[in-house]
Amino acid sequence: MAMALQFDTDVQFVKGVGPKLGDVFRRRGIARVQDLLEFYPRAYEDRRAIRQIRSLVPDQLVSIKAQIQKIRSFNLGKSRRKVYDVVIGDASGRISCKYFRVPYKGYFERFQPFQEVRVIGKVTQYRGVLEFHHPDIHPITEDEENTNELISIYTEIEGQSSAKIARLIRSVLSSEHPIPDPMPFWIVKENGLLPLDRALQEIHVPKLEEADAFLNFQAPSQRRLIFDEFFMIELHMALKRAGVEKEKSTPIQAQGLWPQRLEASLEFELTGAQKRSFAEIISDLRKPHPMHRLVQGDVGSGKTLVALLAAAFAAEGEMQTALMVPTEILAEQHYANASRRLAPLGMRVALLTSQVKGKERAVILQALKAGEIDVCIGTHALIQDDVEFAKLGLVIVDEQHRFGVEQRNKLKAKGLSPHFLVMTATPIPRTLAMTVYGDLDVSVIDELPKGRQPIVTRKTFASKRDLVMGFVRDQIKKGRQAYIVYPLVDESETMDLKNALEEYTKVKAEFSDFSVGLLHGRMKSSEKDEIMQGFRRNEIQILVATTVIEVGVDVPNANIMVIEHAERFGLSQLHQLRGRVGRGEYKSYCVLVLGYALSEEATKRAEIMESTNDGFKIAEADLEMRGPGEFLGTKQSGLPGFKLGNLVRDIKILQEARAAAFALAARDPDLKRPEHQMVRAKLESFHKMWVG
Ligand code: ADP
Ligand code: MG
């Protein structure tokens, strides 16, 4: 008699798997029966419609039958990167399948010319030609030939064909053992969800009459399983939030006189959005639960000042503030800013970075502990174990997307449930904000300071470099300053650094009548400082820099941003870089200089940049182009990837799942009721996956 399979039975006990294949599966994260059942088809193929190569259009996910014509490999440009090209054809035409790495050993050796294969992948357009990038190619097997329905197509796992995987999954589904449904029944009912066992059955063995629904991700089985994915995250958020609301913290007792004095000392008026955000913050700070608030505002919207106002409020209430930022340059800048604006109120401000050492550091640590410092600004150096505060009441994290969850928590742990404020310029589309920041309240600064003019953005090619530099020269003659940014994706990449240095030498020669500075991540802090100071004082007119200046840097007199090899940057990075200009009264320009190895996507990114300055629109476009997984590094967001769900496509399901999760958290915040035991266990196993 076969062993009864449980949901958490080791996958190797599934009939037809065994220890060896079990290892292969485990390497792909399929360790238990449940994981195998959650290995959903990558696509469905309706065998009634035969697709021809000539009929393909870009961006379609397709499965086609064709013949191998040629297998070759070549080097990409001058680099040593090898590209493999499998050319396939049918009666209507031919198409290339390109691989930029070998999927697994022996992958290409399996094919011979004239062999019949099935190719599954997304059609991509590159320089006007259609091709596949990293499709699954597998020989047509007999059992595939014999079926005649809507076929589930699985991503191959190290040579295990889609048909074989389908067979294994079917055998699990047909084993008599019931599949437990962790979702509380009332939620299943209220939301009209399919029972879990039926959903799993139908997603793997779809009904032909649902073919269209499946292709559009609207089949009831898909809805149920997508709902589950979103539900777990939203439940996590809902409980976290319920926890925060129960947590006690010291309300900050202040009248708000210090912030008023700060406001009165400014040479400009606060924007309405700044005022509104600050009012929201004050109302949180006065509550006996810790604030958990995100201030989201586009680059240049004046978030720093909102942070300083909050710090002034805390100091008036005799509480300390810690302000953490991702780079030393930014820490220095905030420190200078805070000293200038807060010292006149009698506030004591300190700077703590890894550059602050020895005796100087000891003095600051001592003062922090004694409560003699009101605001401490710093980098990761703030979360060192020996940094202690007397009365840390407010924790602010600027450019929070640059930090991991753990780092933020570590800083919070230095106070007794301190109020917590995070700031980000990465505008997140609302749908995504609901999941990523589902446990935070959000203030949006959706207004730029008065008098800002939109930044004019133009893309151009390296061949037009002289024109660009001529334009830079004109502006500098008028007293302005420029950034020329060179991509250095990885600061440890020696090749790239060499290129950036060459660029610097070239610019220096071209602008010998002006002063040109260089800034990159591998310079010593003191050197970086000196250069930044020089640029701020306009002793340096042109700053050749790597992306170290990407976040936060604020020099209002600079009005030109030239981005070299703009094709190598992602949309949010381009937007951040562009945000270094347009911060003052001068009309500002951003020039995207494109190299030649240009993909369709890079061109599209440049065009999006030309078309809008609105960070929210750019973020939407970015999300659409890249998908949520890549949009936010999983690490920062603490989000698992979704197997089926798509935050753009499935927003309605997301909203329903969120409402259900919050309803559950309200009914049973500790998930103590018997009917909630299973969902609780599932959440715990999720936590393990997310955290450890
Ligand atoms: P970000 O939101 O990108 O962090 P900053 O806080 O660096 O923006 O502010 C950008 C610039 O705008 C700074 O030079 C700041 O002094 C200035 N600024 C902030 N608020 C206002 C305002 N209400 N009116 C005019 N300028 C402002
Ligand atoms: Mg900022």
Side-chain angles (χ1 to χ4, degrees):
M1 204 201 87
M3 195 175 131
L5 292 174
Q6 302 282 350
F7 230 39
D8 57 359
T9 305
D10 190 322
V11 71
Q12 80 177 52
F13 297 117
V14 171
K15 196 160 157 273
V17 178
K20 222 168 123 200
L21 192 49
D23 279 343
V24 171
F25 280 158
R26 264 188 292 275
R27 276 203 293 278
R28 276 293 296 263
I30 302 173
R32 303 160 306 156
V33 165
Q34 176 176 358
D35 304 323
L36 188 61
L37 289 178
E38 288 176 4
F39 190 72
Y40 303 125
R42 173 174 175 184
Y44 297 93
E45 198 199 352
D46 187 348
R47 283 291 158 76
R48 296 167 306 181
I50 296 168
R51 210 186 270 285
Q52 302 221 300
I53 289 178
R54 222 188 25 213
S55 71
L56 298 180
V57 292
D59 296 329
Q60 252 179 340
L61 181 63
V62 296
S63 156
I64 57 169
K65 212 158 120 180
Q67 211 178 46
I68 302 256
Q69 294 194 337
K70 183 160 66 177
I71 304 163
R72 61 189 189 124
S73 67
F74 56 89
N75 286 335
L76 192 65
K78 272 181 278 176
S79 74
R80 271 167 295 148
R81 258 177 80 189
K82 204 164 185 176
V83 180
Y84 295 84
D85 185 13
V86 180
V87 182
I88 56 162
D90 64 13
S92 75
R94 46 175 17 204
I95 186 167
S96 267
C97 305
K98 293 213 176 122
Y99 294 83
F100 303 101
R101 65 191 125 74
V102 183
Y104 55 83
K105 213 168 147 227
Y107 187 85
F108 296 107
E109 284 73 10
R110 298 178 305 159
F111 307 125
Q112 305 132 24
F114 308 117
Q115 190 178 6
E116 290 283 323
V117 288
R118 174 156 302 284
V119 177
I120 303 152
K122 195 167 150 192
V123 183
T124 310
Q125 188 164 359
Y126 179 71
R127 295 192 183 169
V129 180
L130 295 185
E131 53 190 36
F132 288 107
H133 290 170
H134 291 258
D136 284 342
I137 304 185
H138 43 90
I140 300 238
T141 50
E142 265 178 35
D143 51 349
E144 181 179 348
E145 290 296 17
N146 294 335
T147 45
N148 187 15
E149 46 193 306
L150 192 60
I151 305 284
S152 302
I153 309 286
Y154 296 88
T155 301
E156 281 194 5
I157 299 178
E158 299 190 24
Q160 301 302 312
S161 72
S162 168
K164 165 121 193 229
I165 296 170
R167 244 187 344 260
L168 293 174
I169 291 176
R170 279 165 200 240
S171 94
V172 174
L173 287 170
S174 62
S175 78
E176 296 289 289
H177 208 83
I179 292 171
D181 192 342
M183 188 67 77
F185 185 65
W186 61 272
I187 294 180
V188 172
K189 217 171 96 200
E190 275 177 21
N191 290 278
L193 300 175
L194 221 54
L196 183 60
D197 50 358
R198 254 187 76 194
L200 286 169
Q201 177 76 32
E202 290 183 14
I203 200 147
H204 289 292
V205 190
K207 299 184 212 151
L208 192 55
E209 64 269 26
E210 283 183 357
D212 290 335
F214 262 100
L215 298 177
N216 296 316
F217 285 84
Q218 310 220 315
S221 57
Q222 288 168 319
R223 174 165 176 262
R224 163 68 209 252
L225 296 169
I226 292 170
F227 187 99
D228 281 18
E229 287 187 343
F230 291 157
F231 180 81
M232 288 322 287
I233 292 197
E234 292 300 334
L235 183 58
H236 166 76
M237 299 291 179
L239 295 174
K240 211 161 120 184
R241 205 181 157 114
V244 169
E245 275 161 16
K246 271 196 312 198
E247 214 180 299
K248 294 254 176 307
S249 125
T250 326
I252 296 184
Q253 273 154 356
Q255 274 188 285
L257 296 176
W258 292 23
Q260 271 172 28
R261 273 161 54 200
L262 170 56
E263 190 181 340
S265 75
L266 297 172
E267 62 278 16
F268 46 72
E269 290 263 321
L270 291 178
T271 63
Q274 281 172 320
K275 284 186 192 155
R276 183 166 22 85
S277 304
F278 181 55
E280 286 162 357
I281 291 168
I282 286 200
S283 118
D284 285 355
L285 293 177
R286 286 184 167 139
K287 286 183 190 149
H289 325 284
M291 165 171 76
H292 261 224
R293 182 171 288 278
L294 169 75
V295 172
Q296 188 176 306
D298 212 341
V299 283
S301 62
K303 293 182 290 294
T304 315
L305 205 55
V306 174
L308 296 186
L309 287 163
F313 185 82
E316 183 186 340
E318 294 179 10
M319 290 293 221
Q320 291 172 297
T321 297
L323 169 55
M324 183 161 73
V325 301
T327 66
E328 276 170 19
I329 293 176
L330 201 50
E332 299 272 358
Q333 178 180 294
H334 279 355
Y335 175 66
N337 211 336
S339 305
R340 179 162 68 98
R341 303 235 187 249
L342 301 181
L345 307 177
M347 285 173 62
R348 297 153 300 180
V349 185
L351 174 69
L352 202 59
T353 66
S354 54
Q355 288 323 109
V356 180
K357 292 182 199 140
K359 205 166 153 218
E360 196 189 347
R361 181 167 187 272
V363 170
I364 293 178
L365 294 196
Q366 182 54 43
L368 275 176
K369 213 169 148 180
E372 290 156 5
I373 288 173
D374 299 305
V375 185
C376 190
I377 295 167
T379 54
H380 297 88
L382 279 176
I383 52 180
Q384 301 294 314
D385 285 337
D386 57 350
V387 179
E388 293 170 51
F389 291 80
K391 272 175 107 179
L392 180 60
L394 174 61
V395 166
I396 307 178
V397 178
D398 192 12
E399 306 291 350
Q400 70 91 29
H401 56 286
R402 291 300 193 95
F403 293 97
V405 180
E406 272 167 54
Q407 292 167 317
R408 300 193 294 249
N409 287 344
K410 224 168 154 182
L411 185 57
K412 269 198 275 184
K414 295 196 178 288
L416 265 175
S417 296
H419 295 281
F420 184 54
L421 183 67
V422 298
M423 306 199 290
T424 187
T426 305
I428 290 193
R430 271 197 62 75
T431 52
L432 202 53
M434 274 167 63
T435 49
V436 183
Y437 302 127
D439 60 326
L440 294 173
D441 294 306
V442 179
S443 294
V444 182
I445 307 193
D446 50 3
E447 183 186 351
L448 291 179
K450 266 199 219 97
R452 295 272 173 85
Q453 307 174 48
I455 303 163
V456 176
T457 303
R458 287 291 171 262
K459 67 174 189 303
T460 184
F461 292 94
S463 57
K464 297 275 166 59
R465 198 173 173 283
D466 288 349
L467 275 176
V468 176
M469 292 306 153
F471 181 66
V472 168
R473 178 170 287 278
D474 287 345
Q475 290 294 318
I476 292 178
K477 277 193 189 146
K478 286 183 190 156
R480 303 287 79 74
Q481 290 166 278
Y483 297 94
I484 299 180
V485 172
Y486 208 87
L488 212 117
V489 177
D490 175 359
E491 292 278 349
S492 64
E493 197 52 74
T494 321
M495 257 300 282
D496 279 349
L497 184 58
K498 204 175 131 242
N499 292 339
L501 290 174
E502 267 168 26
E503 174 80 15
Y504 168 64
T505 319
K506 210 156 105 192
V507 175
K508 221 172 128 125
E510 282 167 329
F511 290 89
S512 53
D513 44 343
F514 293 104
S515 166
V516 180
L518 174 70
L519 197 70
H520 63 77
R522 282 207 279 172
M523 282 164 47
K524 271 201 247 132
S525 289
S526 53
E527 290 169 349
K528 277 193 251 178
D529 254 15
E530 207 171 300
I531 298 287
M532 262 332 285
Q533 292 298 355
F535 192 63
R536 235 168 238 138
R537 293 197 210 103
N538 197 1
E539 291 155 11
I540 291 174
Q541 284 79 43
I542 300 180
L543 189 59
V544 177
T546 63
T547 45
V548 288
I549 57 135
E550 177 186 332
V551 292
V553 169
D554 182 46
V555 180
N557 188 51
N559 75 331
I560 303 183
M561 167 63 65
V562 178
I563 305 176
E564 299 267 7
H565 285 289
E567 76 280 0
R568 287 168 64 178
F569 293 101
L571 265 179
S572 68
Q573 242 182 337
L574 290 173
H575 182 63
Q576 278 283 347
L577 285 169
R578 177 171 62 183
R580 293 316 109 220
V581 298
R583 300 183 146 249
E585 64 208 86
Y586 307 107
K587 185 154 188 71
S588 297
Y589 306 88
C590 173
V591 186
L592 306 172
V593 184
L594 298 168
Y596 294 104
L598 204 54
S599 66
E600 298 275 332
E601 305 223 314
T603 313
K604 199 163 152 199
R605 287 196 295 265
E607 283 164 2
I608 292 169
M609 290 293 292
E610 282 183 323
S611 72
T612 182
N613 275 296
D614 182 335
F616 285 89
K617 285 200 185 127
I618 288 173
E620 297 277 355
D622 203 14
L623 178 62
E624 215 152 294
M625 281 176 77
R626 287 198 291 161
E630 275 179 68
F631 179 81
L632 295 160
T634 314
K635 228 183 174 166
Q636 268 108 19
S637 63
L639 276 187
F642 297 117
K643 289 177 178 160
L644 272 183
N646 174 314
L647 293 168
V648 178
R649 184 192 63 212
D650 306 320
I651 165 126
K652 195 156 162 277
I653 305 178
L654 174 65
Q655 283 160 346
E656 291 160 350
R658 179 177 171 83
F662 276 73
L664 173 57
R667 260 192 219 193
D668 185 8
D670 301 311
L671 301 183
K672 279 211 182 103
R673 298 194 198 166
E675 68 270 30
H676 299 151
Q677 284 320 297
M678 268 204 286
V679 75
R680 177 178 169 171
K682 186 159 177 195
L683 188 65
E684 275 163 13
S685 74
F686 258 90
H687 280 158
K688 261 186 228 135
M689 247 165 49
W690 290 345
V691 184

